[in-house]
Amino acid sequence: EAQVTQNPRYLITVTGKKLTVTCSQNMNHEYMSWYRQDPGLGLRQIYYSMNVEVTDKGDVPEGYKVSRKEKRNFPLILESPSPNQTSLYFCASNADYNSPLHFGNGTRLTVT
Amino acid sequence: RKEVEQDPGPFNVPEGATVAFNCTYSNSASQSFFWYRQDCRKEPKLLMSVYSSGNEDGRFTAQLNRASQYISLLIRDSKLSDSATYLCVVLTGANNLFFGTGTRLTVIP
């Protein structure tokens, strides 16, 4: 089954404790991206990647890092999480920039 | 001005009704348009792409009006299962994706 898999689904952590949210896709897509969704603000792009070793900032990259060492994986790293990063996060992939996005099932992060 | 704007609703309609949502975009160079459906606390799922000539998929019809810079989604014969938030997504240039904040639809028995 074609899918984007994110883990974990739920995460509660404390300020400053580094964490990683994993994302993997099995569709051989070139593009992968991360979004956060907050009430009233909609989905906002954090980072995206056009291919292995090629990443670029989205609209809200501050406080986040990504890497794309393999085509199928695109982890999101929060080196020092803060409460304002409490949000619902989605990973997505698409075949090319013009194609529809396929989303993972989301990670609900709470930073206390 | 926001890149993409949607009426947040909520739209509460009875079963069987026809309902339409609009989504306006600000950049006339926008090139691709999509409607996604999002159920509460779940991931957005592609409902349909929007083509220049308009397109239909069962009870759903999407249209694009480039002159007035909006896309629309029409749902005929609403079902209870159509209750969800509908997001419009606009692509402008390489990887410049803009999401609307969503229109919430509740279909009432």
Side-chain angles (χ1 to χ4, degrees):
Chain A
E1 181 189 352
Q3 59 185 5
V4 179
T5 304
Q6 280 179 242
N7 279 297
R9 290 294 308 278
Y10 302 94
L11 182 56
I12 301 173
T13 190
V14 296
T15 298
K17 186 175 181 182
K18 180 179 177 180
L19 65 92
T20 299
V21 184
T22 63
C23 175
S24 180
Q25 51 97 2
N26 63 1
M27 294 170 279
N28 202 37
H29 283 169
E30 301 287 336
Y31 283 71
M32 297 186 75
S33 47
W34 275 102
Y35 300 85
R36 61 178 289 174
Q37 188 174 33
D38 302 288
L41 296 176
L43 280 152
R44 293 179 292 167
Q45 191 182 71
I46 302 170
Y47 267 96
Y48 69 95
S49 169
M50 293 181 283
N51 212 327
V52 174
E53 304 291 4
V54 181
T55 63
D56 208 346
K57 296 177 180 178
D59 300 317
V60 288
E62 294 77 21
Y64 304 95
K65 283 175 58 177
V66 292
S67 69
R68 188 98 181 268
K69 293 185 169 56
E70 303 168 282
K71 195 172 187 178
R72 63 180 179 178
N73 294 326
F74 191 45
L76 179 71
I77 303 154
L78 283 73
E79 295 270 5
S80 183
S82 61
N84 64 11
Q85 292 178 299
T86 292
S87 188
L88 178 59
Y89 290 86
F90 291 104
C91 179
S93 73
N94 49 333
D96 58 61
Y97 79 92
N98 217 17
S99 302
L101 294 166
H102 297 257
F103 286 91
N105 52 12
T107 296
R108 188 167 289 278
L109 172 66
T110 302
V111 184
T112 60
Chain B
R1 185 184 169 189
K2 286 184 182 178
E3 293 281 346
V4 176
E5 295 202 63
Q6 287 184 257
D7 182 341
F11 284 64
N12 299 317
V13 303
E15 262 186 299
T18 296
V19 61
F21 313 132
N22 281 346
C23 170
T24 59
Y25 60 95
S26 61
N27 192 329
S28 60
S30 298
Q31 60 208 76
S32 297
F33 309 87
F34 308 96
W35 282 104
Y36 280 77
R37 171 197 169 120
Q38 186 174 26
D39 294 292
C40 190
R41 296 193 186 92
K42 295 197 171 179
E43 74 274 22
K45 292 185 178 177
L46 179 69
L47 181 65
M48 56 200 305
S49 302
V50 186
Y51 302 119
S52 297
S53 54
N55 46 303
E56 191 174 302
D57 183 2
R59 298 181 293 109
F60 299 85
T61 300
Q63 293 202 308
L64 167 64
N65 185 317
R66 284 198 182 273
S68 301
Q69 293 182 205
Y70 73 86
I71 62 172
S72 64
L73 177 68
L74 181 80
I75 305 175
R76 289 181 298 278
D77 188 22
S78 298
K79 312 288 185 194
L80 296 177
S81 58
D82 294 333
S83 297
T85 296
Y86 291 84
L87 307 174
C88 70
V89 182
V90 176
L91 176 70
T92 303
N95 199 61
N96 287 327
L97 263 177
F98 298 99
F99 291 82
T101 52
T103 298
R104 191 167 165 190
L105 171 67
T106 301
V107 180
I108 304 162

